[in-house]
Amino acid sequence: CIRDRPYTVRTLFYGNGVDRHRPEYGPDVDLVTSPVDGSALVERWSGLRTAYWGFGPEALPLNGRVWYPEREEPCPLVIIVHGQHPMEEDSDPGYAYLGELLASRGLIVVSVDENFLNLSPLVDLVTLSSLEEEDDLRGWLLLEHLRLWRDWNAGQGNPFYQGVNLEEIALVGHSRGGEAVAVAAAFNRLPYYPDNAAVRFDYGFDIRALVAFAPADGQYKPTGRGITLEDVNYLVLHGAHDMDVFTFQGARQYARVRFSGTGGWFKAGLYIYGANHGQFNTVWGRKDLFEPVMRVFNLEQLLPARDQRQIATVYVSAFLETTLHGESGYRSLFRDPRCGGAWLPDTIYLSQYQDSNTQLVSTYEE
């Protein structure tokens, strides 16, 4: 079963302290962070975008809302990142349901703010200048957040001093954020940025697990190829009624996760009848696209939002218990969703599973 951990959950916010639109990252922030220069990883950042946010790509903020347990021993770290959505409506609060649950089970959870990379009817349409190739920037920013946590864990006087288990890290992403977690895992092991060798990387974090909700795939292709990952646990969930990412693009990344044959790694995929794109986030809701396009879709077919998020909480909590806490008994859920029948809503589930012991006789790709 999905067992409870009786940890009391605390919250705090970190950010640049001067945010124009959100006091939790401005005057009410708990921990002040320094901006980072991401200008080498993005194109077509307009002056109007700078005017709205008050900063350009050379001074991107590291903002995050944190849920953490009252626990004496160091805790594994989970970072969640949203995807594409109108930037004027904050996306990062939409994973509080996951943050609170996972923190109660002994994990430090961060939902990071990357709203400044999202689309805007005003900024993009008026200037005809949407950001290009920003999914690599989304992934790179996750690594900069991890660098921040590594510094805090080593810094006396910080509330997280020696409180983070940096050998147990998971990244969770939704939509373009789902692709960003794969980008981050790839960049984490590279010595430099694939598109510009003058940008040096020196990360090397112990990222053990990736979770992707309805991820995009192929928005960013380093040297023109899809991202291949090795020896990392991977979970992808996608809705059959997704009106934004119409096809199960995450299945392609699933196929590009490989294992060297040791370490007990595994990957799992779940295709959910009745799930849409947005209901994994409490802010996004039932409508995946803009009006009047939504008029052609039958929303009556969708799962209730509570049911869709129940599926997410069951699978993500079981996955992180397995990959970060070593609870091997949960693996049966990923092999067969019927093992979670007592906790999962009644709908159709199509699942895939492979681990480092799997030997494929035929992949039908010969």
Side-chain angles (χ1 to χ4, degrees):
C1 67
I2 306 298
R3 62 187 177 88
D4 291 327
R5 292 180 181 270
Y7 297 117
T8 300
V9 176
R10 302 273 184 195
T11 61
L12 62 75
F13 296 87
Y14 64 83
N16 60 7
V18 293
D19 195 283
R20 290 183 174 183
H21 305 285
R22 295 153 299 180
E24 64 267 32
Y25 299 135
D28 297 340
V29 76
D30 298 294
L31 294 173
V32 177
T33 60
S34 299
V36 293
D37 185 355
S39 56
L41 286 83
V42 68
E43 297 178 6
R44 298 182 65 182
W45 183 292
S46 69
L48 192 55
R49 186 176 292 267
T50 297
Y52 180 85
W53 289 108
F55 55 81
E58 73 287 344
L60 300 176
L62 296 177
N63 298 337
R65 53 188 70 228
V66 185
W67 299 266
Y68 63 100
E70 286 190 349
R71 185 183 181 189
E72 293 183 359
E73 61 267 33
C75 303
L77 177 63
V78 180
I79 293 187
I80 305 174
V81 60
H82 60 82
Q84 186 77 286
H85 191 70
M87 72 181 192
E88 295 84 1
E89 182 176 39
D90 299 337
S91 294
D92 49 300
Y95 308 104
Y97 72 99
L98 282 175
E100 292 166 0
L101 172 67
L102 297 175
S104 75
R105 300 165 70 81
L107 305 173
I108 297 172
V109 184
V110 189
S111 180
V112 303
D113 160 39
E114 294 188 1
N115 292 285
F116 46 84
L117 298 182
N118 281 352
L119 61 84
S120 169
L122 173 63
V123 171
D124 295 335
L125 294 181
V126 170
T127 63
L128 297 177
S129 182
S130 299
L131 293 183
E132 285 188 349
E133 298 185 8
E134 86 281 4
D135 280 9
D136 49 342
L137 178 57
R138 292 175 190 267
W140 175 81
L141 280 170
L142 296 179
L143 296 174
E144 290 298 306
H145 278 270
L146 288 178
R147 189 197 300 276
L148 186 69
W149 280 91
R150 182 166 58 190
D151 292 344
W152 285 348
N153 193 53
Q156 294 187 21
N158 189 278
F160 296 105
Y161 173 60
Q162 294 186 348
V164 188
N165 181 357
L166 292 172
E167 295 180 356
E168 304 286 349
I169 296 173
L171 304 179
V172 180
H174 183 187
S175 191
R176 292 197 180 197
E179 182 172 32
V181 300
V183 172
F187 284 2
N188 183 57
R189 298 178 180 179
L190 294 178
Y192 53 82
Y193 178 41
D195 296 337
N196 182 352
V199 179
R200 303 291 298 179
F201 291 163
D202 60 345
Y203 297 111
F205 295 105
D206 290 321
I207 299 173
R208 297 193 56 81
L210 304 177
V211 179
F213 295 121
D217 182 69
Q219 299 287 331
Y220 171 66
K221 289 186 175 182
T223 65
R225 294 177 293 179
I227 292 171
T228 298
L229 302 174
E230 183 172 290
D231 290 345
V232 64
N233 300 295
Y234 185 75
L235 172 65
V236 58
L237 290 79
H238 197 97
H241 292 65
D242 192 313
M243 295 161 278
D244 187 350
V245 182
F246 297 117
T247 61
F248 193 174
Q249 293 187 21
R252 302 199 296 250
Q253 183 60 73
Y254 172 95
R256 298 195 303 271
V257 176
R258 303 170 183 172
F259 306 124
S260 62
T262 59
W265 308 101
F266 75 99
K267 59 182 178 178
L270 189 70
Y271 192 62
I272 308 160
Y273 184 85
N276 77 333
H277 191 77
Q279 290 184 149
F280 292 115
N281 183 307
T282 59
V283 175
W284 291 8
R286 294 170 66 82
K287 296 183 178 181
D288 292 344
L289 299 173
F290 299 102
E291 296 289 0
V293 176
M294 286 305 306
R295 300 294 173 176
V296 305
F297 292 99
N298 179 7
L299 302 185
E300 295 300 318
Q301 299 178 87
L302 298 184
L303 285 169
R306 179 183 298 178
D307 286 356
Q308 184 165 331
R309 288 194 280 274
Q310 174 69 8
I311 297 167
T313 55
V314 168
Y315 266 84
V316 173
S317 59
F319 183 69
L320 296 182
E321 286 284 1
T322 304
T323 57
L324 302 184
H325 282 147
E327 299 287 352
S328 60
Y330 293 105
R331 288 209 184 206
S332 59
L333 174 68
F334 305 104
R335 295 188 180 98
D336 188 342
R338 290 172 294 185
C339 293
W343 303 278
L344 293 172
D346 184 17
T347 188
I348 300 170
Y349 301 95
L350 303 179
S351 65
Q352 290 180 287
Y353 174 88
Q354 290 183 32
D355 59 34
S356 52
N357 295 317
T358 300
Q359 295 185 21
L360 298 177
V361 175
S362 177
T363 65
Y364 300 96
E365 299 293 338
E366 293 83 357

